[in-house]
Amino acid sequence: MSFGVEVQDLTVEYGRTVALERASLTLAPGAIHGLLGRNGSGKTTLLSVLAAFRRPSAGRVLVDGEDPWENPRVMAGTCLVRESGDVEVDTGMKDTLDYLERARPHFDRDLADRLMDTFELDPRRKPTKLSRGKRSAFGAVVGLATRAELTLFDEVYLGMDAPSRHAFYDALLEDYVEHPRTIVLSSHLIEEIERLLEHVVILDRGGVLLAEDADVLGARGARVTGPGPAVDAFVAGRRVLRREQLGPTVQATVDATLDDAARAEAHAAGLEVGPVDLQSLVVHLTAKEPAR
Amino acid sequence: MSLPTSTASPTPTRSTPRPATPSHRSGYRTGLRWLLQTHGFMFLWALGMLVVLVAAATIIVSNVTTPAGSIVQHARQGLTWFPFSIAIVGITTYTNIHIGAGLTRRSLGWAALTAAVVMAVAYAALFTLALQLERAVYGWTGWAHGVDGAGGLFTSSGQVGLVVLDVGLLFLAGQLSGVLVGIVYYRAGGWWGTLALPLTAGPILLATPALSTAALGDLGLAPRVVLVLLVLGAMSLAAHRLILGVQVRKLAT
């Protein structure tokens, strides 16, 4: 009950604006993928194409092995939640849940009702009468209860307070464990979702900057701290993402996986080596002007 | 960082077993139900307004003078443009909901056209029934039930067949035009949607006059009806084609 995704040389243009240019990636079925990148990097456009909301300008997109555009099976198995979802806003949320129960093949009404309680959403209220955070929470309810084979959350956390966001993450994990499916989370709150991700795709300027398993990415990058000359000597020949100096002490963030020998070399030079969290890595990798 | 329950696999991108296969037909049923519910609700509003306004106007006129003409006949315009506006709102609102629920554009197109036909029949039945009820009341009270025939095909409220034909085609043109106007605005935005109005809304103004205009010479009523149906068919085809290619717009936040 999971859809995989293959994207090859995907280009999407809005008039003269190129949102995605020859982007290629693969999303394995049955995993939680993080789709990260700066504003305007093409995340929403990519998700829109996967959900058959938009048609590519060029390239090939396969969801569960087939073109999603006007494909009843693939479209029914794909759910893109943009904020509060593409739902009726001028009727009570109960009506939307009734509608989705008829329209979506795997929609779990019990789960939806439980999540409505969790997020303290009154089913009789209209989405237009809700705060932004509550509307986003309703989107989370829709996305989770739909149990689509490919579930895409595009910045679904917008406006949600911290307890609600964590309730969403917990509900997502709990339901994912019971009903494994392919989930893509697009978010700027990387620190919060990092623990959920099994695979990470970083988009930058309409292209795929990197796509790696989260474990591999976790080992990628290192922070080297110590006396300036020693740090500079150690990072020479390595890709430096960021360099900060405080008095005689320098901290350099390098895009490199340091093996045991390299770490021993660093220690011998009096340097401290620490990990780089995913958020910092994304920030440095997608920075407009690299440190060097 | 990764979950212990991970079932991620680096290569296969096709699942087994496959889920049940939804179809265009199931999407059509879902879409038609939503559209008919929405339009049906507004139909009840139209019915209520018709009853209240006609009753009020009849009471007022009969207290001032002896009614000599139908009041219901004036609802012909209202029952054209009110459902027309509802059809615009319906398609522009429902497109995101339908596709967002994983249903195809093809099913949306057929559902929108079917709803247009059903609602045109419903409004035509409402108008005809109201006119005949009014005729019966006028007959009972001894008032003359005249119709002015301006712009319409019928010259007497007793010409039930012509009444049905006249308002049936007019209301169908209104419904189809509403869908067409709505989807053009949805796809092309305000400027192009407005510039295209002569093409998208114009057929409403031509539907009934085409049945009686002298410009078509000695052409009989049946060929004229076929001509109007051809125009309405072209509108339907255009609306369906535009729906098939629709790209879902961003949400207004």
Side-chain angles (χ1 to χ4, degrees):
Chain A
M1 191 179 147
S2 299
F3 286 173
V5 172
E6 283 180 24
V7 175
Q8 291 176 2
D9 295 327
L10 174 64
T11 298
V12 180
E13 297 166 351
Y14 299 94
R16 293 178 184 174
T17 305
V18 180
L20 283 172
E21 188 169 19
R22 298 183 66 83
S24 298
L25 60 98
T26 299
L27 302 178
I32 301 180
H33 305 266
L35 184 61
L36 312 177
R38 303 181 61 171
N39 290 335
S41 59
K43 302 188 297 295
T44 298
T45 300
L46 174 62
L47 296 179
S48 297
V49 172
L50 297 183
F53 278 26
R54 295 201 65 84
R55 201 163 206 173
S57 305
R60 192 170 74 143
V61 173
L62 297 178
V63 174
D64 201 33
E66 296 176 9
D67 183 352
W69 183 262
E70 285 298 273
N71 183 323
R73 183 185 71 82
V74 172
M75 286 181 72
T78 304
C79 176
L80 168 58
V81 178
R82 308 185 294 178
E83 297 182 30
S84 59
D86 291 271
V87 298
E88 204 174 349
V89 293
D90 281 325
T91 63
M93 289 180 281
K94 178 187 175 299
D95 293 336
T96 291
L97 298 180
D98 291 343
Y99 172 80
L100 290 171
E101 205 173 356
R102 291 192 298 273
R104 288 292 194 176
H106 306 302
F107 192 81
D108 187 326
R109 184 56 181 267
D110 291 337
L111 175 63
D113 290 340
R114 286 201 306 275
L115 291 171
M116 293 289 281
D117 288 340
T118 300
F119 291 113
E120 298 175 339
L121 294 168
D122 180 353
R124 293 167 300 181
R125 294 196 71 185
K126 300 175 182 178
T128 47
K129 302 291 182 189
L130 300 176
S131 67
R132 180 137 191 192
K134 291 290 186 188
R135 286 205 306 272
S136 294
F138 185 54
V141 172
V142 168
L144 290 173
T146 296
R147 290 230 176 97
E149 288 85 344
L150 175 61
T151 303
L152 313 165
F153 288 108
D154 187 16
E155 317 257 10
V156 77
Y157 60 83
L158 281 177
M160 285 166 73
D161 56 23
S164 297
R165 291 199 303 272
H166 285 276
F168 166 61
Y169 303 142
D170 292 344
L172 184 148
L173 259 188
E174 187 181 329
D175 201 59
Y176 170 73
V177 169
E178 288 179 17
H179 302 276
R181 53 200 189 266
T182 311
I183 295 175
V184 180
L185 286 171
S186 162
S187 177
H188 291 300
L189 300 179
I190 300 169
E191 282 180 335
E192 288 189 4
I193 66 166
E194 187 176 353
R195 66 186 174 97
L196 306 174
L197 305 180
E198 298 169 76
H199 183 256
V200 174
V201 175
I202 300 177
L203 296 183
D204 189 40
R205 299 175 182 89
V208 178
L209 189 65
L210 66 84
E212 285 190 30
D213 283 345
D215 287 338
V216 174
L217 205 56
R220 177 172 171 168
R223 276 207 176 97
V224 182
T225 310
V231 169
D232 290 339
F234 181 78
V235 302
R238 294 187 167 100
R239 186 182 176 209
V240 179
L241 299 173
R242 186 174 175 84
R243 184 181 187 278
E244 294 166 290
Q245 184 160 5
L246 185 63
T249 303
V250 167
Q251 184 178 70
T253 303
V254 292
D255 178 19
T257 303
L258 300 182
D259 58 18
D260 290 343
R263 286 173 186 275
E265 179 194 338
H267 286 303
L271 304 176
E272 287 180 23
V273 178
V276 180
D277 59 89
L278 184 58
Q279 176 148 309
S280 300
L281 197 61
V282 171
V283 168
H284 297 323
L285 286 173
T286 60
K288 279 186 178 171
E289 306 241 345
R292 275 183 199 173
Chain B
M1 201 179 277
S2 66
L3 297 167
T5 52
S6 169
T7 53
S9 165
T11 46
T13 57
R14 188 155 192 144
S15 66
T16 52
R18 285 185 167 280
T21 306
S23 62
H24 292 295
R25 190 178 295 272
S26 60
Y28 166 78
R29 283 195 296 267
T30 305
L32 183 59
R33 179 173 172 164
W34 190 95
L35 288 166
L36 288 182
Q37 273 182 346
T38 304
H39 290 313
F41 180 73
M42 300 315 294
F43 177 83
L44 294 178
W45 268 99
L47 172 63
M49 286 191 290
L50 184 69
V51 169
V52 170
L53 292 176
V54 169
T58 304
I59 291 168
I60 292 168
V61 171
S62 64
N63 276 290
V64 175
T65 182
T66 301
S70 167
I71 290 169
V72 168
Q73 66 174 324
H74 301 296
R76 188 170 169 274
Q77 290 301 318
L79 293 181
T80 302
W81 297 105
F82 176 70
F84 164 78
S85 63
I86 300 303
I88 294 174
V89 174
I91 193 68
T92 51
T93 302
Y94 186 59
T95 296
N96 275 38
I97 296 170
H98 189 87
I99 300 173
L103 306 173
T104 61
R105 292 157 180 80
R106 187 190 302 180
S107 62
L108 171 62
W110 284 114
L113 295 179
T114 307
V117 172
V118 170
M119 293 317 299
V121 169
Y123 279 106
L126 172 64
F127 180 87
T128 307
L129 190 64
L131 195 66
Q132 298 313 307
L133 279 174
E134 187 188 47
R135 179 182 168 83
V137 170
Y138 274 43
W140 179 65
T141 54
W143 299 336
H145 194 237
V147 292
D148 61 18
L153 191 61
F154 54 94
T155 52
S156 161
S157 58
Q159 298 169 312
V160 177
L162 290 180
V163 170
V164 170
L165 186 62
D166 176 83
V167 295
L169 289 175
L170 179 63
F171 294 167
L172 182 58
Q175 288 283 334
L176 293 174
S177 185
V179 174
L180 194 54
V181 169
I183 201 64
V184 169
Y185 267 101
Y186 182 94
R187 284 190 59 154
W191 277 107
W192 285 110
T194 304
L195 288 172
L197 278 175
L199 285 173
T200 54
I204 302 179
L205 305 175
L206 299 176
T208 304
L211 298 176
S212 54
T213 180
L216 293 174
D218 294 334
L219 201 63
L221 182 59
R224 287 169 185 253
V225 170
V226 171
L227 193 65
V228 171
L229 288 174
L230 284 174
V231 172
L232 299 184
M235 290 170 67
S236 305
L237 186 66
H240 194 260
R241 293 287 300 225
L242 288 168
I243 291 171
L244 276 185
V246 80
Q247 315 250 17
V248 178
R249 294 184 74 137
K250 289 178 183 172
L251 298 166
T253 54

